[in-house]
Amino acid sequence: MNSTFIHQYDRQKPCSTISWRERRGPPPAKRSYTSAPNATMSRFTGISLIRRWLMIAPSVGRFDGSPCNSLTVSSIELITKNASMRKGQTRRQNFAYGWLMLFTCINFAHPQQQHSVPSIFIYDDFERCEATASVYCYARTILRVDQFPAGFIVPQTEFLIPNELFPTMPADKRRYETLVNVCVNQRLRTRYNITGYTALEYCRPKPKQTARPYDALEVIFLAVSGTLVSTLILTTLLDFCRANQENAIVSAFSVRRNWMRLRADADSPLHRDLLYIDGLRVLVNHLVIVLHSFLIASVAPAQNYSELEDLANNVPMRIYLSSNAYLVQIFFTIGGYLLSVNFLRDADRGPIDARYASNKILNRLVRLVPVYAFFLLFSVSLNVRFDVNVNGFRLFTAENAICRQNWWTNVLFVNNFLWPKELCLMHTWYLAADLQLFLMAMGVLVLVHRRPKSVGVVFLVGVLVSFAVPGYITHQHKLHPVLPGKLSEAKFLTMYEPWIRRIYLPSYANTGCYLYGVIAGYLYHRTKNYKMQLERFWLYRLINAYVTPVLVAVTVSSFLWYVIDVPKPNLWVSLYSALYRNIIGIFVAVCFLRSIDKSPGTLRSILSSKLLTTLGKLTYSAYVLHDVVMRFLLLRENFNSVINVQKFIAWVYI
């Protein structure tokens, strides 16, 4: 919504808000879904299975006074403010108004009726509210569905950030929610002839003249940060002065030593043979960051949100979004491959016992925990102080509240299951799933090492289970077979999407890709050390011949699940889901096997280049850090900013 529309309100009147609750109605009669040239918008966006008679999509409506034959209805968040009360004066509450962030919308084209609806992003003047020492609130309004044409359908996204995360919300709801609801409905009736129900999400405390004191967690974070910086400077100076060079702390923290390690060449034949995997890590990690940047752009309060919907609406973008589920699975396959190769090499050199297994697990935790713990500590402490504008609540305050409540799931590496509903540092679910799959694969490798004759049965059972689990989950919960990357879920970074929570995140639904890496590592070891000829096995020849065309077919056909109405549960949907969740792991594992005893081609040479192999040592830190960096980038985006290609490139690369 443009600023002109915002200032048309009478700021002396109390305000009201809307969040629109849409529910499913009967399918309308067949009609032509077209848009007039001067229509506000007629978008078809959504990454979910769309019934022939329904269009579920995060859509955008703009209020410019022009007639439209397209109805866009959405969940809207409202910002309200309450003027402070002076002692001795009559008790009163003045709410400014503003509507914030629509996060689920519906596009219902009706060629014979004209409708106008509020814009997606509508903010009150944050600085003005702060200057008057008023209360600034966020809310969402759910519209009554019976005031719209028959067949009006609502997406299954009606989530609020839970009020219980914020200790002040019970009192704020008693003070403000009823009044906000009345005010919003008054404004809705006046301008749009519609009504709804408003629910508060959060009210910011009144600005204080004195700064809020630092709590214990913030002090701990500052102390840890100061200690790390001081240690880094001191050890670097000692190293340059050639003092205490053999000291373990100097070796670990010196900038010069770490730079040397970063640029060091591979020191073993096995590492040199698999050097291209470091470059592959960089490439996949880069694609993950591009995807997450697209999600962040979808959350930004942009005035050209419809352009994002147009982009997400075309077939190539749907295929791209659905294929992004492959990225993390490639990481899983790489992890299984490297674990298997190193385990079998160590098995030839020495005994595999409990001490060996515990050392492997300990070494892994030593690599993971320090960086992870540092940013987790930031998320439960100091990040809330960066809530300095309208965007700050979603980016930092909500994250801080979630992390303070559910930090233990991150510490225990179990933040990839169905509970709790709210996830702290959601992108770190991968670390939990990867550690769980690592432990599972260690058990499989120990079993295979102790009982070599059972290797075929163990791998076969593992493959069958890996296909059965995602198929069963899809069938049992009536889910889509492919990643439904809906813009309506971007506000919560897909935290509540059932497909994400039930199939994408849990380790037991990702066993296949890790297992295929383990099998590829086992075959690599047999080929390198026992001269096994893979081409002599008909099963390998069959998989090698058909895995690429099957992967292409599954990927290209994924967009069909957004437009074809398939009743669920359905056997074919479950089978497709099982193939979709396993095919990329099989393909990557076969690619690893194809590279054995073959001279590097152009792609492997590029992936093995000095630049990529050096950056490959930083991929883990970059993965953990990139979410925090993107939050700071989005914090700078003002209301009604424009998201374009240049800005998107700057987010990713600058």
Side-chain angles (χ1 to χ4, degrees):
M1 187 180 83
N2 55 49
S3 58
T4 303
F5 181 47
I6 293 177
H7 294 303
Q8 285 175 352
Y9 288 116
D10 181 356
R11 292 188 177 271
Q12 300 303 317
K13 295 181 180 180
C15 73
S16 45
T17 330
I18 351 168
S19 196
W20 313 5
R21 184 187 194 105
E22 310 121 72
R23 56 179 170 81
R24 181 170 298 178
K30 291 184 178 179
R31 58 168 62 91
S32 171
Y33 291 97
T34 57
S35 177
N38 61 348
T40 304
M41 192 182 94
S42 181
R43 305 286 179 223
F44 175 68
T45 315
I47 305 180
S48 60
L49 184 60
I50 307 298
R51 298 184 183 277
R52 283 186 290 270
W53 53 269
L54 86 96
M55 301 164 75
I56 293 182
S59 305
V60 178
R62 296 177 183 163
F63 182 81
D64 55 9
S66 61
C68 69
N69 60 2
S70 157
L71 174 62
T72 306
V73 182
S74 335
S75 295
I76 296 184
E77 297 177 20
L78 165 75
I79 303 175
T80 65
K81 65 180 181 180
N82 179 14
S84 58
M85 297 177 292
R86 296 183 179 179
K87 188 174 182 180
Q89 291 183 343
T90 303
R91 184 183 182 96
R92 65 176 183 174
Q93 296 172 321
N94 289 327
F95 282 83
Y97 49 82
W99 305 339
L100 164 73
M101 262 179 103
L102 162 159
F103 62 87
T104 54
C105 352
I106 303 222
N107 192 15
F108 179 81
H110 199 298
Q112 295 180 348
Q113 298 186 23
Q114 295 180 353
H115 304 277
S116 64
V117 294
S119 298
I120 293 179
F121 301 104
I122 310 175
Y123 290 85
D124 196 10
D125 189 334
F126 180 81
E127 287 75 16
R128 183 170 180 263
C129 181
E130 292 280 286
T132 57
S134 300
V135 174
Y136 203 87
C137 292
Y138 299 78
R140 193 191 70 164
T141 299
I142 303 174
L143 293 182
R144 288 175 43 211
V145 69
D146 57 2
Q147 57 198 332
F148 297 101
F152 186 73
I153 298 167
V154 177
Q156 305 298 317
T157 306
E158 297 184 2
F159 298 106
L160 288 170
I161 294 178
N163 293 150
E164 56 267 22
L165 291 174
F166 309 104
T168 59
M169 277 310 296
D172 288 337
K173 287 173 72 71
R174 288 194 300 270
R175 291 191 191 102
Y176 309 134
E177 192 165 63
T178 300
L179 181 58
V180 170
N181 190 44
V182 171
C183 294
V184 168
N185 279 287
Q186 177 187 355
R187 195 158 289 132
L188 283 176
R189 283 191 297 268
T190 301
R191 292 193 171 273
Y192 306 103
N193 195 30
I194 55 179
T195 58
Y197 166 74
T198 298
L200 288 181
E201 282 194 319
Y202 176 68
C203 288
R204 305 171 70 98
K206 292 182 181 181
K208 297 180 180 179
Q209 298 297 328
T210 58
R212 179 175 65 86
Y214 288 88
D215 63 20
L217 288 174
E218 291 175 321
V219 171
I220 292 174
F221 177 79
L222 291 174
V224 170
S225 300
T227 301
L228 289 175
V229 172
S230 301
T231 304
L232 186 70
I233 295 173
L234 180 60
T235 54
T236 301
L237 291 175
L238 290 174
D239 190 38
F240 273 108
C241 295
R242 308 296 180 180
N244 293 325
Q245 288 190 316
E246 302 303 321
N247 186 282
I249 296 179
V250 172
S251 177
F253 285 92
S254 170
V255 172
R256 188 180 72 87
R257 297 284 190 92
N258 282 285
W259 177 253
M260 292 172 59
R261 292 190 191 98
L262 195 63
R263 301 190 71 254
D265 294 326
D267 57 357
S268 68
L270 180 61
H271 190 184
R272 286 191 290 270
D273 195 30
L274 304 179
L275 198 59
Y276 67 94
I277 291 181
D278 285 335
L280 180 60
R281 278 190 180 127
V282 174
L283 176 61
V284 176
N285 195 57
H286 169 260
L287 294 176
V288 169
I289 293 175
V290 170
L291 171 65
H292 289 179
S293 298
F294 181 79
L295 288 177
I296 288 293
S298 304
V299 177
Q303 61 174 290
N304 63 329
Y305 201 82
S306 59
E307 295 179 11
L308 287 177
E309 294 182 329
D310 286 337
L311 180 64
N313 187 45
N314 61 61
V315 170
M317 181 55 69
R318 290 179 183 173
I319 294 173
Y320 164 73
L321 290 174
S322 64
S323 64
N324 272 284
Y326 295 158
L327 298 177
V328 172
Q329 292 181 303
I330 295 174
F331 272 131
F332 288 147
T333 308
I334 292 174
Y337 185 61
L338 294 179
L339 171 62
S340 181
V341 168
N342 284 283
F343 178 93
L344 295 172
R345 179 201 60 188
D346 295 341
D348 288 342
R349 295 177 176 178
I352 301 297
D353 51 19
R355 182 176 181 180
Y356 171 85
S358 61
N359 284 337
K360 292 284 287 187
I361 296 171
L362 180 61
N363 290 336
R364 189 174 188 85
L365 292 176
V366 167
R367 292 197 304 268
L368 295 180
V369 170
V371 175
Y372 188 13
F374 181 79
F375 287 105
L376 179 60
L377 181 59
F378 173 76
S379 297
V380 299
S381 60
L382 208 64
N383 69 337
V384 72
R385 291 185 177 270
F386 294 96
D387 181 359
V388 295
N389 59 25
V390 170
N391 293 338
F393 162 64
R394 298 232 166 270
L395 298 174
F396 295 110
T397 299
E399 180 78 358
N400 181 275
I402 292 172
C403 287
R404 289 204 174 207
Q405 176 175 286
N406 299 327
W407 59 270
W408 58 272
T409 62
N410 298 72
V411 172
L412 297 179
F413 288 90
V414 293
N415 57 318
N416 62 317
F417 295 120
L418 292 175
W419 42 265
K421 288 185 178 180
E422 288 72 39
L423 298 179
C424 168
L425 294 176
M426 183 177 173
H427 70 294
T428 62
W429 72 269
Y430 162 76
L431 306 181
D434 188 63
L435 180 61
Q436 294 158 18
L437 291 171
F438 172 85
L439 297 176
M440 176 211 72
M442 279 287 292
V444 170
L445 287 169
V446 169
L447 178 61
V448 169
H449 175 68
R450 295 286 177 86
R451 300 178 180 275
K453 294 183 179 180
S454 67
V455 59
V457 174
V458 171
F459 287 160
L460 177 60
V461 171
V463 170
L464 293 177
V465 170
S466 299
F467 272 84
V469 169
Y472 172 78
I473 295 174
T474 301
H475 187 274
Q476 185 70 15
H477 298 283
K478 303 178 182 179
L479 301 175
H480 296 304
V482 299
L483 172 65
K486 298 176 288 189
L487 291 185
S488 61
E489 288 287 342
K491 170 185 172 184
F492 296 107
L493 301 180
T494 67
M495 187 184 302
Y496 297 111
E497 168 58 46
W499 191 91
I500 296 289
R501 297 305 298 266
R502 293 186 179 276
I503 291 184
Y504 189 66
L505 303 190
S507 54
Y508 51 77
N510 287 284
T511 55
C513 291
Y514 214 95
L515 179 62
Y516 305 138
V518 170
I519 294 174
Y522 176 84
L523 296 177
Y524 172 91
H525 180 77
R526 301 290 294 182
T527 301
K528 282 289 188 179
N529 295 280
Y530 298 97
K531 307 301 180 183
M532 185 175 69
Q533 299 295 321
L534 290 175
E535 293 294 340
R536 295 177 55 187
F537 298 92
W538 67 269
L539 182 59
Y540 173 78
R541 295 197 303 271
L542 180 68
I543 295 174
N544 187 38
Y546 289 101
V547 66
T548 302
V550 171
L551 173 64
V552 172
V554 170
T555 303
V556 172
S557 64
S558 61
F559 82 95
L560 294 174
W561 300 101
Y562 304 141
V563 296
I564 298 177
D565 181 14
V566 179
K568 293 183 273 305
N570 183 285
L571 177 61
W572 295 109
V573 171
S574 300
L575 292 176
Y576 187 97
S577 176
L579 186 60
Y580 173 76
R581 294 298 293 161
N582 285 273
I583 187 62
I584 188 65
I586 298 174
F587 173 77
V588 173
V590 169
C591 288
F592 290 155
L593 296 177
R594 289 171 179 171
S595 67
I596 300 176
D597 295 332
K598 288 186 179 179
S599 58
T602 303
L603 180 59
R604 282 180 61 189
S605 299
I606 294 174
L607 294 177
S608 302
S609 65
K610 186 68 174 180
L611 174 63
L612 292 183
T613 54
T614 300
L615 293 176
K617 300 171 184 177
L618 300 174
T619 52
Y620 168 67
S621 297
Y623 181 82
V624 176
L625 174 63
H626 83 276
D627 176 79
V628 177
V629 173
M630 288 192 298
R631 290 177 188 273
F632 279 105
L633 291 174
L634 184 56
L635 184 67
R636 297 163 49 194
E637 293 300 315
N638 298 320
F639 167 57
N640 258 354
S641 60
V642 176
I643 304 299
N644 51 36
V645 175
Q646 294 83 358
K647 183 175 293 186
F648 183 79
I649 292 175
W651 281 0
V652 177
Y653 298 104
I654 300 178

